[in-house]
Amino acid sequence: MQPSHFSPTPTDAHRFTQALAVGAAPDGTEDAQATYQFRTLWLSDIHLGTRDCKAEALLDLLRHCHAGTIYLVGDIIDGWQLRKGWYWPQAHNDVAQKMLRKARKGCRVVFIPGNHDEFARDFHGLHFGGIEVLSDAVHVTAGGARLWIVHGDWFDGVVMHAKWLAHLGDALYIFTLKLNRWLNQARHRLGFSYWSLSQYLKGKVKNAVNYISSFEQLLAEEAARRQCEGVVCGHIHRAELRKIEGSIYANCGDWVESLTALVELQDGTLQLLMWKPSASTPVVLAELSPGTASTGQTEAPTQTQASHVPCAS
């Protein structure tokens, strides 16, 4: 399946460069605090430029984690929302500048645009401040597994063929997030923990469940067709790491609610992490070892704390 061609508007490109032109806040603690080392780090659906983006939590992860390669798997900047109204606080700019700083220090940073930052797709093959822009990519793990990396919206019929409906869905999602903020403020005052209304609705609405299942199946099948052992994607804001008919399916989740990332350890093990900013530490939600990736077996998800190795960012 080939991507549709999107032509960026001058306004989009101007806003992108305007955002990156703002200076970053001083960050003198990054080298001392980088305590987790990974071979590869995947992040998706950060949605910089929206009020629900958890930029501070992501900055906490980036200060404590180092990876030789970082893949930004789409919807990093939310161009849809920025067109409606400019919102770019310092923390959002700090995330962008942090990525640029990592690229300058030798980390390979690859940006694979999604539907919300589709304006960047026209820059395929170019580099910006050391960050490489690609429409999709293939990553080879230390264990030899080939992983196809794509945002995932190419497999979303609504996004590709009824964009007005996709924008309507996005508006409803933003409204749900607003309700979610009010609800969780009340829950916090009553001493209850965070609860996601949008995730609850996705789990209860039959059509949403069927859509997610179909999306995952299609991507796993396409990865196999491309002679890859698996796929890494984003788009649906549902973190996952498992096998589908022998093919690895990994979804990075998001930085609006989930605070999740996919990582590869030095031996090729894949882990799905949820970041805990209060403790500046990750929790392992699921894991696939190199042997599991090659044999087609599935390991049970775990809930453990990741090991850490001092390193420089």
Side-chain angles (χ1 to χ4, degrees), residues 9-10 20 25 42 44 62 78 82 85-87 101 145 148 165 168 204 214 216 221 233 243 263 294 309 312:
T9 64
L20 295 183
W42 289 269
S44 75
L62 293 174
D78 198 319
L82 288 175
W86 185 255
Y87 180 77
R101 189 180 301 118
W148 181 44
L165 189 57
L168 175 61
K204 290 296 182 182
S214 176
E216 295 172 343
E221 290 175 356
C233 62
K243 301 296 286 292
V263 299
S294 61
V309 180

Side-chain angles (χ1 to χ4, degrees), residues 21-35:
V22 182
D27 188 1
T29 61
E30 59 176 324
D31 291 334
Q33 291 187 356
T35 52

